[in-house]
Amino acid sequence: MPSVSSVDFTIQPTHEATLPITDLTFRRGYGSFDFLYVIDGVPMFIDDHLARFHASSRLLGLGPIPSQEQLKAHAHDLIDANGGGTFGLQLFLTAGDPLDGFTPQDARFIALTVPAATPSPDAFESGYRLITHQHQRDLPEAKTTNYFTAVRLAPKMREMDANDVLYHDGERVLEATRCSFFLVGEDGTYVTAGRDILPGVTRLNTLRALRHAGLPVDERDVALNEVGRASEAFVTSTTKGVMPVLAIDGEAIGDGRPGPRTREAHALLKAHRAEWARAYQRP
Amino acid sequence: MPSVSSVDFTIQPTHEATLPITDLTFRRGYGSFDFLYVIDGVPMFIDDHLARFHASSRLLGLGPIPSQEQLKAHAHDLIDANGGGTFGLQLFLTAGDPLDGFTPQDARFIALTVPAATPSPDAFESGYRLITHQHQRDLPEAKTTNYFTAVRLAPKMREMDANDVLYHDGERVLEATRCSFFLVGEDGTYVTAGRDILPGVTRLNTLRALRHAGLPVDERDVALNEVGRASEAFVTSTTKGVMPVLAIDGEAIGDGRPGPRTREAHALLKAHRAEWARAYQRP
């Protein structure tokens, strides 16, 4: 279990780390966010995460933004202070304490470590069940602290025995609350939404692994009625990797079991992650 | 200037008051909120605000919720600790620190005092200019910390020299980011959205004052195309009271000056507020 986190680069016990109640990210739900998975002391795909954290912070007009070099060095300081291991590392850039209570200024940087278990092999075979909900996240290209709809829908999700909620805009399938969404088309192409979604880091690395293997991928608008015709579907996320989607709103996808294309994506991502971790050199 | 606030009912200097970084309201933008205007030591319409704060907290599934009696007594402790005066009092119920990072539990109660100036009489004559934006707040009946869209649009609002952003859903006019919206129909009726909006406390008290004076009011869906035909429009808010809307998206409403029906609503609300304050007895 990680036990220390940081506020403005000061490492301290997580249960003692605090934020002023004047900070707008608390008061107005406006801040940028990212989530890294540290596995055996290695911050997986850290450069992709820090590039996105920078992009999200710029889209929100938050700053000053610490440099990616500074953030990377600090991530390693935090990993060392926690004695390495496997855990989640949440990054936040806040909106500060403007007198008008509305205009971001003098951002704080917060790094919060949280437990993150390694998924069991059973998890892949059990797969995910999704329910759908019409919702388009505001400023979807940015990863933010605005999980209002996701938290609100969590009780309904549990009641329906689902693992996540799949957002659509009435015409197009977009993404789940904490995962990116893929389906396998009739011709075997891997299809995922090409816009109006979060640029998921695991989504990106799954696409890289599929393309590197010469498999057909298509990033484009995905019509809602394509989902029922898909032979397979899966989600990708930082901690779950490639996770088969076996049913949506109670309707089975394909034969309701993880399919061969999903297994292939899973194996390719797994190999890509292992290769990335082997080649990783800390700064 | 108020100088003290409170965390879990412990009064302390505002600049020293903090929240754990593990609290979900910070991490996920999920918390209930309310805003009281304290005028010369009197927490205006406090019972309406506390009833709404309770309703919002229940809608969000947050708790335990302190009783309205406890909150009212504490508001007076805070007013006394600040030496009375005129200021804003922001109330928050947070989502606590669940281990799963997603399921609210063991809410914290935060009371933050902020400066709030008395509006000048000039402000009424200068009026408000609005710009429109298509957006439906999630769970609109609850007042929450989710001001993501409002904060995001603030630079555009300033660029367009506007005072607030009026939300619509493509068919119906709803509300502004921090005000309720009224228009005066062709027959002189005061019209305001009847659903899918925040139950504004000043909106409620304006409706009470209008009805008490025997004036015609209508709470119903307001079509977007009614706005251009309105002879007058105004917004209501806790600090602004009744504020004339003189233009929307650069198009003048009526003759572009505060109209007689708006002046009447303004005077009726002002009298209602004064009467309420005179009759108020602290617990």
Side-chain angles (χ1 to χ4, degrees), chain B residues 210-238:
Chain B
L210 292 170
R211 286 192 171 114
H212 188 73
L215 294 170
V217 301
D218 201 357
E219 298 179 70
R220 60 164 169 82
D221 287 352
V222 182
L224 204 44
N225 65 14
E226 289 184 68
V227 174
R229 298 199 309 264
S231 57
E232 302 179 34
F234 57 88
V235 290
T236 59
S237 90
T238 292

Side-chain angles (χ1 to χ4, degrees), chain B residues 8-9 19 23 25 31-32 53 57 61-66 92-98 104-110:
Chain B
D8 279 336
F9 299 96
L19 178 80
D23 197 291
T25 299
S32 61
F53 187 55
S57 300
L62 302 176
I65 312 177
F92 301 89
L93 202 66
T94 81
D97 318 281
Q105 68 174 36
D106 300 338
R108 291 185 176 88
F109 171 68
I110 309 264

